[in-house]
């Protein structure tokens, strides 16, 4: 088995009779309305993939893990002329990728359920999926001739890794995302100090998650992949150069692993688009001549951005011709659709959401979740209790005119968010980032999550605690988590539940209801 890295989350796996191309994100205009660009630049790999698809006589497959545009690059897929290949997708409740490929005219589209195996001439493919509205993603395992490659990409299935390894045996090559990819804290209003503190905690805990995954999988090779992107739009350029944020590069992870995982035999080199690893001989048989030196990051990204100067200037000129108030008025019906699909789960939300179009100064939408009501107001009523989102009219217009969807919008990072108090709320997050059609099912899934009351016993600091087993965020299995600084960490999105504070989450008001089963030593002393 040979594995060619295509950049970001893209791979081309070649066996004797088959070629499986995974998540080829190769378009020159990046993703999420050109907010994200591939780092390092991998546009040259487009010609490589086109030539493989065009000329190889082997059976060809293209796997798209999920609909996020840094994985599902329809512009690139449309450049492929010879469509003599099968597309492999996870069978998600919302078949977004399948529908987008309706008239694609490839050989076949295969939909696989969670853990379903698909047999190729000389290999097999198994997909592992999460299908939960806020998160729809899949991971892929390819096995051939006693060798295997597990590509987790962004899929937060770390809690399943143990059972995957038990069931499928040794994994030779493993890859998984190690950097962040969400709008918190990137788009939120924080002081520099708070921003760095949050980013540092998120970065550290994601590195630890990656280290733990490598410890479980014990591959020969771990490839740091699926991020971080870089940002070439002048509006977003500053993110690249922040002292600390949630987008660490591979070199930082490698430094962490070198120290944290030195007891393991796995290697974790920095891999560049075009590098080829041969699993038979367990080494790289080709290294791309175009390599990025992390010390040159500033000049690399600055010169990368210079190529797009004209592109963004033209866009900006056009963007600001838009009638912002018209967009504000058009936004109403989309928000109303979202509200009508909303089912309040578990708790009433007393925090109102304000939705502002940057250029519209006098009017703001106010959403009262409890009353399911949308009104236009002129001010924020209570500065101690509110959530606010703000974005330029041109970016919102692209959603309303179906050029991008709300999940894409959230990843453009061209928004500003403020929340007081600074507490994550899953329902508000879902409302902001999901399309109206997804909100009903999302609420049902949240309700199911709140209804799960199975408990487990864990030990911390010499005492036993009874806690809820499933995470209050999206149901992650906490029995596969770990304890750090007195907090039980969920292996999915790393919420931290403080055992010293009755199991309360440090990010919000959720709790796993931790009950200490052993009398505290200080209590005993007092009793005596
Ligand atoms: S499921 Fe998301 S943090 Fe637990």
């Amino acid at each position: 088995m040979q594995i060619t890295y295509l950049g970001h989350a893209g791979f081309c796996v070649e066996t004797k009779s088959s070629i499986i191309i995974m998540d080829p994100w190769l378009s020159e205009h990046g993703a999420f309305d050109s907010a994200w660009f591939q780092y390092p630049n991998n546009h040259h790999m487009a010609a490589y993939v086109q030539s493989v698809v065009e000329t190889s006589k082997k059976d060809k497959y293209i796997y798209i893990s999920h609909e996020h545009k840094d994985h599902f690059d329809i512009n690139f897929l449309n450049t492929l002329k010879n469509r003599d290949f099968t597309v492999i997708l996870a069978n998600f409740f919302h078949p977004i990728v399948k529908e987008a490929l309706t008239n694609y005219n490839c050989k076949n589209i295969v939909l696989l359920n969670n853990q379903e195996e698909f047999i190729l001439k000389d290999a097999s493919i198994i997909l592992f999926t999460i299908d939960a509205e806020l998160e729809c993603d899949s991971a892929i395992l390819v096995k051939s001739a006693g060798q295997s490659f597990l590509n987790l990409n962004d899929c937060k299935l770390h809690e399943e890794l143990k059972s995957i390894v038990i069931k499928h045996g040794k994994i030779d090559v493993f890859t998984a995302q190690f950097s962040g990819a969400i709008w918190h804290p990137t788009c939120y209003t924080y002081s520099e100090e708070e921003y760095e503190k949050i980013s540092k905690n998120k970065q550290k805990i994601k590195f630890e998650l990656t280290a733990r995954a490598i410890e479980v999988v014990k591959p020969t090779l771990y490839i740091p992949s699926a991020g971080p992107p870089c940002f070439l739009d002048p509006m977003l350029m500053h993110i690249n150069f922040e002292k600390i944020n949630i987008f660490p590069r591979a070199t930082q992870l490698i430094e962490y692993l070198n120290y944290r995982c030195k007891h393991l035999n796995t290697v974790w080199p920095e891999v560049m688009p075009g590098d080829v690893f041969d699993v038979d001989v367990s080494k790289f048989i080709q290294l791309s001549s175009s390599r990025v030196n992390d010390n040159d990051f500033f000049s690399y990204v600055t010169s990368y951005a210079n190529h797009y100067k004209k592109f963004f200037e033209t866009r900006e000129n056009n963007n600001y011709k838009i009638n912002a108030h018209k967009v504000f008025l058009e936004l109403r019906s989309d928000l109303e659709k979202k509200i009508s699909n909303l089912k309040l789960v578990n708790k009433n939300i007393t925090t109102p959401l304000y939705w502002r179009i940057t250029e519209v100064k006098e009017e703001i939408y106010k959403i009262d979740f409890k009353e399911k009501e949308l009104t236009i107001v002129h001010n924020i009523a209570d500065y101690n209790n509110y959530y606010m989102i703000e974005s330029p009219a041109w970016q919102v217009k692209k959603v309303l005119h179906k050029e991008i969807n709300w999940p894409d919008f959230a990843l453009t990072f061209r928004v500003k968010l403020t929340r007081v108090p600074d507490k994550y709320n899953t329902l508000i997050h879902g409302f902001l980032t999901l399309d109206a059609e997804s909100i009903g099912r999302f609420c049902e899934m949240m309700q199911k999550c709140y209804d799960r009351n199975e408990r487990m016993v864990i030990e911390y600091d010499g005492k036993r605690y009874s806690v809820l087993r499933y995470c209050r965020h999206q149901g992650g299995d906490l029995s596969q988590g770990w304890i750090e600084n007195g907090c039980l960490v969920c292996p999915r999105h790393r919420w931290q539940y403080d055992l010293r504070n009755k199991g309360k989450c440090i990010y919000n008001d959720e709790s796993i209801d931790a009950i200490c089963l052993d009398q505290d030593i200080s209590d005993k002393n007092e009793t005596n």
Side-chain angles (χ1 to χ4, degrees):
M1 181 190 287
Q2 285 186 355
I3 301 169
T4 302
Y5 185 47
L6 303 178
H8 198 68
F11 293 89
C12 178
V13 179
E14 192 160 352
T15 64
K16 216 166 159 212
S17 311
S18 318
I19 290 180
I20 306 137
I21 295 158
M22 304 174 175
D23 286 342
W25 177 37
L26 303 165
S27 283
E28 289 195 356
H29 286 104
F32 308 115
D33 198 25
S34 296
W36 296 29
F37 283 81
Q38 302 90 337
Y39 177 80
N41 185 333
N42 65 349
H43 303 152
H44 56 292
M45 296 307 291
Y48 166 79
V49 175
Q50 282 154 348
S51 137
V52 166
V53 171
E54 228 24 74
T55 59
S56 174
K57 298 282 175 268
K58 295 183 181 184
D59 292 346
K60 288 161 284 186
Y61 304 87
I62 295 185
Y63 158 69
I64 305 297
S65 60
H66 62 300
E67 72 105 359
H68 280 170
K69 307 306 181 293
D70 55 326
H71 299 260
F72 175 39
D73 182 354
I74 186 71
N75 292 332
F76 171 71
L77 295 181
N78 282 336
T79 69
L80 300 174
K81 298 207 168 46
N82 173 12
R83 299 194 182 161
D84 183 25
F85 51 79
T86 296
V87 171
I88 295 175
L89 305 173
N91 190 16
F92 292 126
F93 183 85
H94 297 290
I96 299 173
V97 177
K98 183 178 172 252
E99 281 172 4
L101 294 175
T102 303
N103 297 316
Y104 189 60
N105 291 328
C106 58
K107 197 160 121 190
N108 194 8
I109 295 182
V110 172
L111 299 175
L112 296 180
N113 294 316
N114 186 28
Q115 304 205 27
E116 187 175 344
E117 189 168 23
F118 180 60
I119 305 291
L120 282 49
K121 223 178 257 166
D122 64 339
S124 69
I125 284 173
I126 300 137
L127 297 196
F128 304 93
T129 62
I130 296 183
D131 190 0
E133 299 304 336
L134 276 186
E135 187 142 38
C136 294
D137 204 343
S138 69
I140 183 168
L141 173 65
V142 180
K143 299 200 281 185
S144 176
Q147 296 168 346
S148 58
F149 173 44
L150 176 62
N151 174 4
L152 212 60
N153 71 82
D154 315 358
C155 191
K156 313 286 186 304
L157 273 173
H158 294 75
E159 68 213 64
E160 307 279 338
L161 286 174
K162 232 181 245 171
S163 60
I164 291 174
V165 172
I166 291 170
K167 189 163 175 198
H168 297 284
K170 177 159 171 47
I171 306 292
D172 295 289
V173 181
F174 172 55
T175 186
Q177 187 191 52
F178 66 93
S179 68
I182 51 166
W183 68 9
H184 181 265
T186 312
C187 305
Y188 278 76
T189 312
Y190 287 119
S191 68
E192 200 178 321
E193 199 186 346
E194 279 172 310
Y195 182 81
E196 289 182 1
K197 192 173 154 207
I198 295 166
S199 302
K200 201 168 170 185
N201 181 39
K202 285 198 163 196
Q203 196 181 107
K204 184 178 171 293
I205 211 145
K206 185 98 183 190
F207 279 5
E208 179 58 20
L209 181 75
T210 308
R212 284 171 181 267
I214 296 169
E215 276 179 331
V216 171
V217 177
K218 293 188 182 64
T220 307
L221 169 71
Y222 162 75
I223 301 176
S225 74
C230 64
F231 307 94
L232 307 183
D233 182 348
M235 213 176 151
L236 304 171
M237 267 293 272
H238 64 279
I239 302 172
N240 300 302
F241 309 126
E242 286 166 348
K243 198 158 84 190
I244 180 156
N245 58 27
I246 58 159
F247 305 105
R249 299 187 293 282
T251 46
Q252 290 164 267
L253 173 78
I254 289 167
E255 202 178 309
Y256 183 84
L257 295 178
N258 286 346
Y259 175 75
R260 164 69 176 76
C261 294
K262 51 183 173 233
H263 57 291
L264 298 176
N265 291 324
T266 304
V267 292
W268 36 75
E270 189 178 13
V271 179
M272 295 287 148
D275 289 356
V276 183
F277 186 79
D278 190 322
V279 185
D280 288 336
V281 292
S282 200
K283 63 178 186 195
F284 282 91
I285 53 165
Q286 184 180 306
L287 291 179
S288 166
S289 57
S290 118
R291 309 195 80 73
V292 177
N293 180 343
D294 202 52
N295 294 328
D296 298 334
F297 179 73
F298 181 84
S299 55
Y300 182 85
V301 172
T302 310
S303 104
Y304 197 175
N306 278 340
H307 288 292
Y308 291 92
K309 220 168 156 229
K310 189 95 200 120
F311 168 74
F312 282 113
E313 272 170 15
T314 313
R315 260 171 65 120
E316 199 178 337
N317 288 338
N318 294 332
N319 288 341
Y320 289 103
K321 286 180 196 151
I322 282 166
N323 181 337
H325 196 256
K326 191 166 170 242
V327 176
F328 178 79
L329 296 176
E330 281 175 1
L331 174 62
R332 180 173 199 120
S333 89
D334 232 68
L335 295 181
E336 280 172 347
K337 265 189 237 153
K338 286 192 185 218
I339 292 170
S340 73
N341 289 347
L342 200 65
K343 292 172 201 123
L344 269 196
V345 280
N346 206 10
K347 296 168 198 168
N348 289 335
I349 301 177
T350 53
T351 303
L353 171 67
Y354 293 89
W355 202 307
R356 166 172 253 154
I357 298 287
T358 309
E359 301 87 337
V360 178
K361 301 292 174 205
E362 299 298 318
E363 293 167 309
I364 323 170
Y365 285 118
K366 179 184 175 189
I367 293 141
D368 181 327
F369 289 103
K370 206 169 154 199
E371 302 299 329
K372 292 183 75 173
E373 192 179 81
L374 179 77
T375 47
I376 292 178
V377 297
H378 304 289
N379 294 304
I380 291 170
D382 175 3
Y383 280 96
N384 292 315
N385 181 34
Y386 77 103
Y387 210 120
M388 168 125 109
I389 181 165
E390 176 182 331
S391 179
W394 61 267
Q395 191 66 85
V396 173
K397 187 180 172 209
K398 289 192 179 189
V399 184
L400 302 180
H401 289 223
K402 310 278 180 222
E403 287 175 52
I404 59 174
N405 58 23
W406 285 115
D408 291 338
F409 168 84
L411 290 168
T412 64
F413 295 162
R414 296 184 185 105
V415 296
K416 265 197 226 157
L417 294 132
T418 311
R419 61 184 182 201
V420 184
D422 183 25
K423 287 179 183 172
Y424 175 91
N425 183 300
T426 310
L427 191 111
I428 297 182
H429 183 73
F431 185 85
L432 288 169
T433 60
L434 293 174
D435 289 326
E437 304 75 50
S438 300
I439 285 184
R441 180 166 176 260
F442 156 70
C443 291
E444 281 162 22
M445 296 191 96
M446 272 184 74
Q447 187 61 59
K448 271 191 202 148
C449 179
Y450 286 128
D451 290 344
R452 286 182 99 170
N453 285 322
E454 190 183 321
R455 299 185 75 88
M456 63 176 186
V457 175
I458 54 168
E459 268 190 45
Y460 164 64
D461 205 16
K463 296 191 196 86
R464 293 168 308 136
Y465 290 82
S466 164
V467 297
L468 291 171
R469 175 172 168 178
Y470 293 101
C471 179
R472 307 295 280 174
H473 178 215
Q474 288 180 56
D477 185 354
L478 295 168
S479 72
Q480 300 303 309
W482 71 94
I483 295 173
E484 191 159 323
N485 298 329
C487 293
L488 178 58
V489 183
C490 176
R492 230 184 256 183
H493 311 97
R494 304 163 306 283
W495 276 20
Q496 296 173 61
Y497 294 99
D498 192 348
L499 297 170
R500 299 153 304 183
N501 187 16
K502 299 181 179 164
K504 191 172 169 302
C505 181
I506 63 168
Y507 304 117
N508 50 53
D509 292 332
E510 298 297 348
S511 166
I512 50 168
D513 186 28
I515 300 166
C516 185
L517 301 177
D518 296 315
Q519 196 182 10
D520 191 89
I521 293 165
S522 54
D523 291 350
K524 273 187 203 163
N525 291 342
E526 274 171 30
T527 320
N528 291 340

